[in-house]
Amino acid sequence: MAQKNKLLLIGWDAADWDIIWPLVNAGKMPALKSLIARGTHGNISTMNPPYSPMLWTSVATGKTPDKHGVLGFIEVTPEGQSVRPVTTLSRKTRALWNIFHNQGMRSNLVGWWPSFPAEPINGYVISDRFQKTHMDPRLQTPMSPKSIHPWDKHEDFRGLRMFPFEITKAHLLPFVPQADKVDQDKHKGLNAIAKIVSENSSLHNAATRLLRTTEWDFMAVYYDMIDHFCHSFMKYHPPKHPGVDAQNHDIFKEAVTGAYLFQDMMLERTLKLVDDQTTIIVMSDHGFESGDKRILNMPKVQAAPSLEHRQFGMFVACGPNIKKNEKVYGLGIIDIGPTVLHHFGLPVGKDMDGHVNLDIFENPKPVQYIDSWDAVSGDFGELDNTQETDAFSDQQTMEQLIELGYVEKLDEKFEVAIRNTRIDLKHNLARVHMGKKDLAAAKEILLALLDEPQAKDYAPFYMDLIGISLKERNFEAALEYLQCVKTSGTEVKYNLDLTEAQILSDIGRPREALVLIEHLLQTDQTGPVWYRYGLLHYQLGALAQAKEAFENAIERDSQIPGYHAALAEVYLQLDDYEEAAEYALTSVELVKYFPKGHLLLGQALEKLGDLENAKVAFEMAAKLKPKEFPQAQQSIENLEQRIDLGIEYEDKVTNKHYDNQIVVVSGLPRSGTSLMMQMMDKAGVVALTDELREADVSNPKGYYEYEPVKALYKDNSWLDKAQNKSVKIVAPLLKYLDNKHRYKIIFMKRDLDEVVQSQQKMLGKSEATFPIKIYNQFQRLLASVAAWQKLAPGIEILYLDYKDVVAQPDKIAEQIQEFVGVPLDQEAMTQVVDPTLYRNKNKNSPQA
Amino acid sequence: MKHHKLNRAAFDPDNISPEGSLGLLALGDIGFEAWRKAKGHIRNNENLIDGAKK
């Protein structure tokens, strides 16, 4: 087959732009720099949970782990007698190289995780077992017959395996210049480097041999060097972590940098072995924490080291049809498989979760689809899954996974190890479902795990159930699960204060949450804590404090889009639209699939008068079809009216009638909301009410209430029933309105002194004692309603003063008709008003 | 101790020390095999010398 469209995919596990950019800018990674200059680069987002075998299989299949079947580092053998590192046989779907095989193309695969046992494809497979050898020079490590395909060529590669004991001072010193100071009885760092460097050299030797001597269309090479160096030495990387002792920091501080430089040297050689017609992709599966979030003492949870994995990895592509010197946004590792298929002009499976990223191509072509590559019959170069597999147990790989901390030392009783593995894999599957927002599926698995009689720790399941409960707005359950974690006896130190603060905040107790976070900040000043602190201040309307907290969060971690979006929102409230646009833009640069960021960007641009780009931003938000979809659509509608009709409106009041709009009567309790409900009802806008609360002396004509409104904060699904009707919702609950509807809110204002006095009277409390605390709370509430409305495109508010309604009902009725946008029975409205009911007047008011 | 650097020295098969280097490893199969060969030659030579001394 002609090889004019070759593609070389290079995997650098855990490579992270935060480390790369300073090195590239200092000219220390010239090979990668040349690729960046000649191609397209950007962040690539990982998936949950960020375990490498799962992630690299998603790269190769374009599918999430629930579909591809690789759910962890180890698996239970099919006979259920033992556990082993994951194998090719764990994969339930076809990988890129299987599809290429079927299409008559040749692929070379080196070190891919997992690729053992090697599949019989057109081309070569140097599997992820090839490089694994004993540390001890006295022990032989023969190559397994399944570690290379085709096996009859194995002699060509046997001599390319490097052994850890071959590592010399000349290999070690560039990573650890003061290697002679290492007390090797206490610190195993040099042994780790010997193993990592020898294994990666073995793979690089095989890759260069194949690059030099074979014909291929697709080649994929995987290196774990950066990931393994980071797990062992990132804690010593500058800046010095306060918890690391000075001597070890001094000795190992150059190790991580050394790994990146050596990786770049290998890349330089690789680039010399391909022609300029070859498309090259260098990518990682996730990033790696290098700042405050570095973990010194790993908690005892499964795959604990992955807690140091960061959401964003790195991506660089370069080739004849790849855009030059461009940045790509919104790429995910799941998109690589479909994008590679598209590069070769092959259809993408509709059952794939990833999408073709057309943005990287100079001349993008329409994407072609096939229902599923798995449904195509023919030869795909696959293994017979029924073959005997006991031979695939692998001591070296297991030992390394244990050393790295990904796998706990196996229990001497194998049944315990098997049980733990089975439970861990189920938990991983639940987390995959959570990542896909399939909360019901995740919850079902997690609840079943709680019934496991002998799980080693139930707290991780409870923690995930808290997350699900919060998303489902089931706060009672969240609190219950939180209590379960507290009493579970887990050895893992979860940040329960942060979790509790989130729950308190969501159930409308932000002040209690704030106390927790303020306490937490005394010992933990990481990004998530500052972010929560900012959210709480924002919720309480303290914009200056919120701004400072979000700035602190960004200073700790500048790669979290939510932090930038939160700050953009604050700037919008502060009417600083340029800053708002800046931060919103940064948030969508980090993740393209971030609808809220696009929405905020649109709002900022609209305020800046850049209506054209605002519309583009709103359209992008709408296109991503998230929960913000209705808001984006409403923003577009508003904008189009503004452009087409030249409407310059304040407070977004259009006087336009929208299909299925909901008229909400709101205000503080005792501000005339029942009166207004009665007026709307008589006017012809039917009130949604269940009449459960009977009229009394405080409201002789009835309350016009609807019982489900009280639980609006956890269930707003009934709002469909309120379409084309009016409903009374007190001011504190307005923020829980479902943004998919259009609302006309008639907000009743009344002298706050009068409101408070009226409430005191209604509650049978002394009117002589003025409750200043309640008064202040009401003031803050009114401010928060104004702030909330500002960023809600589907909301229009008409503020009416109670005393005006009583004094001039005819004028008010006309105003309401104009606002609601439909003809009303104004006469009936005015007849409802009974001035004798206007009691509790403020004696100091001029009109009293 | 001498501060070693990750150098990108050009491949010179006639001038390889038994200690090797990351530069040689980065070259892949060619560098690795040349280094192993050089190590083997030197070890053989040392054995020959040791044998002659005996």
Side-chain angles (χ1 to χ4, degrees):
Chain A
M1 172 134 185
Q3 295 149 38
K4 287 183 179 169
N5 198 22
K6 291 163 66 172
L7 188 143
L8 171 61
L9 175 62
I10 300 173
W12 287 1
D13 201 312
D16 191 303
W17 285 119
D18 274 3
I19 305 294
I20 292 173
W21 278 123
L23 297 172
V24 164
N25 292 334
K28 291 181 176 175
M29 293 184 76
L32 189 67
K33 188 176 184 175
S34 76
L35 282 185
I36 293 168
R38 291 183 287 134
T40 292
H41 70 276
N43 279 334
I44 188 164
S45 58
T46 191
M47 297 180 340
N48 188 32
Y51 302 163
S52 293
M54 301 164 73
L55 302 177
W56 290 107
T57 306
S58 288
V59 171
T61 61
K63 293 181 181 177
T64 46
D66 54 321
K67 289 184 187 168
H68 66 55
V70 177
L71 286 166
F73 292 92
I74 56 174
E75 63 188 11
V76 179
T77 55
E79 309 76 36
Q81 299 297 310
S82 181
V83 294
R84 66 182 186 198
V86 287
T87 65
T88 306
L89 298 171
S90 318
R91 182 159 43 77
K92 298 186 295 193
T93 188
R94 287 165 178 159
L96 288 171
W97 44 88
N98 301 120
I99 296 168
F100 298 149
H101 174 95
N102 179 261
Q103 296 296 304
M105 295 160 61
R106 292 184 66 85
S107 302
N108 287 338
L109 199 61
V110 181
W112 206 261
W113 195 2
S115 55
F116 175 87
E119 291 174 280
I121 56 168
N122 293 333
Y124 285 80
V125 177
I126 309 297
S127 78
D128 58 325
R129 294 285 168 86
F130 165 76
Q131 78 279 20
K132 308 281 184 192
T133 60
H134 279 296
M135 286 293 285
D136 189 338
R138 293 165 300 183
L139 298 172
Q140 299 282 316
T141 316
M143 280 201 297
S144 157
K146 300 284 181 187
S147 65
I148 287 183
H149 166 79
W151 180 244
D152 60 11
K153 300 283 185 190
H154 75 278
E155 283 300 335
D156 296 352
F157 297 92
R158 181 188 295 279
L160 297 180
R161 287 200 302 172
M162 186 180 189
F163 295 88
F165 50 81
E166 290 186 279
I167 291 288
T168 69
K169 275 198 303 185
H171 300 131
L172 283 174
L173 292 175
F175 300 106
V176 190
Q178 302 178 65
D180 59 330
K181 292 186 182 167
V182 178
D183 180 347
Q184 293 199 59
D185 290 330
K186 289 182 181 165
H187 202 294
K188 303 295 176 195
L190 298 183
N191 272 346
I193 294 176
K195 190 160 179 58
I196 301 167
V197 171
S198 60
E199 287 185 355
N200 280 275
S201 294
S202 298
L203 292 174
H204 185 58
N205 292 341
T208 47
R209 171 65 53 88
L210 291 170
L211 283 165
R212 285 196 312 106
T213 62
T214 64
E215 304 261 295
W216 50 274
D217 299 288
F218 171 74
M219 181 153 166
V221 188
Y222 166 81
Y223 299 91
D224 61 18
M225 186 166 67
I226 290 172
D227 179 76
H228 289 193
F229 262 85
C230 287
H231 282 303
S232 294
F233 304 106
M234 185 57 91
K235 52 182 168 284
Y236 307 118
H237 188 73
K240 184 184 171 304
H241 193 293
V244 162
D245 87 79
Q247 194 188 4
N248 277 336
H249 166 76
D250 202 41
I251 291 172
F252 293 110
K253 66 187 175 195
E254 292 175 48
V256 169
T257 304
Y260 275 86
L261 301 194
F262 184 39
Q263 193 73 72
D264 192 69
M265 289 163 71
M266 292 196 276
L267 177 63
E268 188 173 45
R269 170 64 174 162
T270 303
L271 297 183
K272 283 186 179 156
L273 298 175
V274 293
D275 58 35
D276 58 8
Q277 292 303 300
T278 302
T279 297
I280 299 154
I281 294 174
V282 180
M283 61 166 288
S284 60
D285 54 339
H286 53 75
F288 202 96
E289 296 293 351
S290 55
D292 289 348
K293 288 197 225 160
R294 287 178 286 181
I295 300 171
L296 298 187
N297 300 309
M298 275 298 155
K300 285 182 181 171
V301 291
Q302 69 142 329
S306 66
L307 297 171
E308 289 186 299
H309 293 171
R310 236 159 52 92
Q311 185 187 355
F312 295 110
M314 53 81 70
F315 170 88
V316 184
C318 168
N321 190 26
I322 303 291
K323 285 180 183 165
K324 312 285 178 280
N325 203 14
E326 287 266 348
K327 198 168 176 194
V328 63
Y329 299 103
L331 192 63
I333 61 163
I334 196 82
D335 300 326
I336 296 299
T339 304
V340 170
L341 283 174
H342 182 68
H343 161 88
F344 285 110
L346 292 173
V348 173
K350 285 181 188 168
D351 57 345
M352 290 179 175
D353 299 284
H355 303 283
V356 176
N357 191 306
L358 291 172
D359 292 345
I360 68 168
F361 295 108
E362 197 86 70
N363 298 304
K365 291 176 188 157
V367 180
Q368 294 176 311
Y369 292 96
I370 185 174
D371 281 342
S372 172
W373 278 103
D374 290 340
V376 177
S377 56
D379 180 8
F380 280 82
E382 294 165 291
L383 288 164
D384 174 8
N385 277 19
T386 59
Q387 63 186 274
E388 193 268 322
T389 56
D390 258 359
F392 303 153
S393 62
D394 173 40
Q395 192 63 23
Q396 284 77 48
T397 309
M398 283 301 290
E399 280 172 7
Q400 188 175 41
L401 290 170
I402 292 165
E403 270 170 35
L404 285 166
Y406 282 121
V407 174
E408 270 187 65
K409 194 168 183 182
L410 295 183
D411 203 286
E412 284 173 9
K413 291 177 184 169
F414 251 99
E415 68 265 23
V416 177
I418 291 165
R419 183 176 61 230
N420 289 343
T421 304
R422 195 170 42 75
I423 289 173
D424 286 348
L425 294 181
K426 280 186 188 169
H427 187 204
N428 290 349
L429 180 59
R431 293 178 65 192
V432 168
H433 286 306
M434 286 172 74
K436 294 178 80 172
K437 298 189 170 36
D438 186 351
L439 301 184
K443 193 157 78 174
E444 190 182 334
I445 296 170
L446 290 164
L447 291 174
L449 285 171
L450 291 181
D451 290 335
E452 284 282 348
Q454 289 171 299
K456 55 183 185 286
D457 188 0
Y458 294 91
F461 314 145
Y462 287 127
M463 289 302 289
D464 285 340
L465 283 164
I466 291 172
I468 291 173
S469 302
L470 287 175
K471 285 196 175 80
E472 291 178 337
R473 307 193 69 75
N474 186 348
F475 304 119
E476 289 86 356
L479 280 169
E480 205 174 297
Y481 291 132
L482 180 70
Q483 200 53 35
C484 292
V485 179
K486 286 180 178 174
T487 56
S488 69
T490 180
E491 290 175 24
V492 182
K493 287 181 183 167
Y494 292 103
N495 201 336
L496 295 181
D497 284 346
L498 198 58
T499 308
E500 191 165 356
Q502 188 182 350
I503 299 173
L504 288 170
S505 151
D506 283 352
I507 58 177
R509 288 155 62 186
R511 294 196 177 279
E512 289 168 63
L514 202 60
V515 172
L516 272 179
I517 295 294
E518 277 166 354
H519 181 70
L520 186 58
L521 275 171
Q522 290 170 15
T523 53
D524 182 354
Q525 300 220 346
T526 52
V529 183
W530 279 116
Y531 176 62
R532 178 59 53 188
Y533 193 56
L535 290 177
L536 288 166
H537 277 301
Y538 186 75
Q539 195 176 350
L540 291 163
L543 295 180
Q545 287 95 327
K547 175 174 162 284
E548 193 183 339
F550 292 142
E551 284 168 349
N552 283 335
I554 291 170
E555 197 181 311
R556 266 50 175 199
D557 193 339
S558 60
Q559 301 288 304
I560 308 289
Y563 297 175
H564 294 271
L567 193 50
E569 205 165 331
V570 172
Y571 275 117
L572 274 173
Q573 294 290 1
L574 292 169
D575 297 336
D576 188 341
Y577 305 122
E578 284 194 15
E579 286 289 335
E582 191 69 34
Y583 281 99
L585 191 60
T586 307
S587 75
V588 296
E589 278 178 358
L590 287 166
V591 182
K592 185 178 174 186
Y593 295 100
F594 186 39
K596 188 174 182 185
H598 291 287
L599 196 63
L600 289 166
L601 179 61
Q603 286 169 331
L605 292 173
E606 186 182 355
K607 293 286 187 185
L608 287 167
D610 185 354
L611 303 190
E612 204 173 309
N613 282 317
K615 197 176 169 196
V616 172
F618 288 138
E619 282 169 348
M620 177 57 86
K623 194 175 132 190
L624 299 176
K625 293 190 178 170
K627 63 178 183 184
E628 286 85 358
F629 176 69
Q631 289 170 280
Q633 285 290 59
Q634 289 157 359
S635 298
I636 294 167
E637 270 177 47
N638 292 351
L639 204 59
E640 281 172 347
Q641 284 180 50
R642 205 175 151 182
I643 295 168
D644 296 347
L645 307 173
I647 298 173
E648 286 297 329
Y649 50 88
E650 290 295 316
D651 299 327
K652 304 195 302 288
V653 174
T654 60
N655 296 335
K656 184 189 161 183
H657 173 263
Y658 293 94
D659 289 342
N660 298 322
Q661 68 183 20
I662 298 171
V663 174
V664 174
V665 173
S666 187
L668 299 173
R670 308 302 299 157
S671 60
T673 49
S674 299
L675 170 65
M676 184 50 63
M677 279 300 293
Q678 207 183 341
M679 287 175 75
M680 293 311 299
D681 199 31
K682 298 291 179 202
V685 183
V686 178
L688 179 65
T689 169
D690 44 27
E691 295 174 0
L692 287 178
R693 190 174 180 186
E694 290 174 7
D696 58 20
V697 68
S698 294
N699 261 330
K701 294 190 176 181
Y703 281 87
Y704 283 88
E705 289 181 355
Y706 185 58
E707 192 65 14
V709 170
K710 290 176 186 165
L712 184 64
Y713 70 96
K714 60 179 180 183
D715 179 14
N716 59 15
S717 58
W718 55 267
L719 279 162
D720 288 348
K721 293 181 191 166
Q723 289 178 341
N724 300 313
K725 292 182 182 169
S726 59
V727 61
K728 184 164 100 175
I729 298 173
V730 288
L733 293 174
L734 285 177
K735 62 185 174 188
Y736 300 111
L737 289 175
D738 187 342
N739 61 30
K740 74 178 183 185
H741 301 289
R742 283 271 184 183
Y743 300 93
K744 297 271 184 176
I745 297 178
I746 301 172
F747 196 100
M748 296 302 294
K749 292 178 92 172
R750 187 177 179 183
D751 185 299
L752 267 184
D753 289 350
E754 289 179 10
V755 170
V756 173
Q757 298 288 359
S758 178
Q759 288 192 6
Q760 290 288 96
K761 187 176 177 184
M762 186 177 165
L763 297 170
K765 293 183 178 173
S766 166
E767 293 172 64
T769 320
F770 187 77
I772 189 75
K773 201 174 163 188
I774 294 175
Y775 180 88
N776 288 338
Q777 276 176 359
F778 281 173
Q779 275 198 319
R780 280 197 297 270
L781 181 62
L782 291 176
S784 75
V785 169
W788 161 77
Q789 182 249 348
K790 208 168 161 182
L791 299 182
I795 306 286
E796 294 176 25
I797 299 191
L798 174 68
Y799 288 98
L800 293 177
D801 204 304
Y802 179 60
K803 68 175 184 300
D804 293 341
V805 175
V806 176
Q808 309 165 31
D810 47 346
K811 196 176 160 191
I812 293 294
E814 198 179 327
Q815 212 178 333
I816 291 172
Q817 176 174 290
E818 198 181 346
F819 174 66
V820 175
V822 285
L824 300 175
D825 187 344
Q826 294 184 41
E827 198 181 332
M829 286 173 86
T830 55
Q831 284 172 2
V832 170
V833 181
D834 177 2
T836 59
L837 290 176
Y838 184 19
R839 298 163 295 205
N840 304 305
K841 290 180 190 172
N842 182 358
K843 310 285 185 297
N844 300 320
S845 167
Q847 293 169 10
Chain B
M1 185 175 284
K2 185 180 156 197
H3 191 122
H4 286 237
K5 286 190 175 171
L6 282 90
N7 58 53
R8 294 165 182 268
F11 180 48
D12 178 3
D14 297 327
N15 191 16
I16 295 174
S17 81
E19 273 215 330
S21 70
L22 289 183
L24 271 175
L25 294 184
L27 285 175
D29 60 336
I30 286 181
F32 181 70
E33 287 185 326
W35 171 55
R36 266 211 178 144
K37 198 172 165 187
K39 274 201 305 180
H41 280 315
I42 290 162
R43 199 176 298 130
N44 282 343
N45 287 342
E46 284 170 354
N47 288 343
L48 285 173
I49 293 165
D50 287 347
K53 279 180 185 170
K54 286 175 187 171

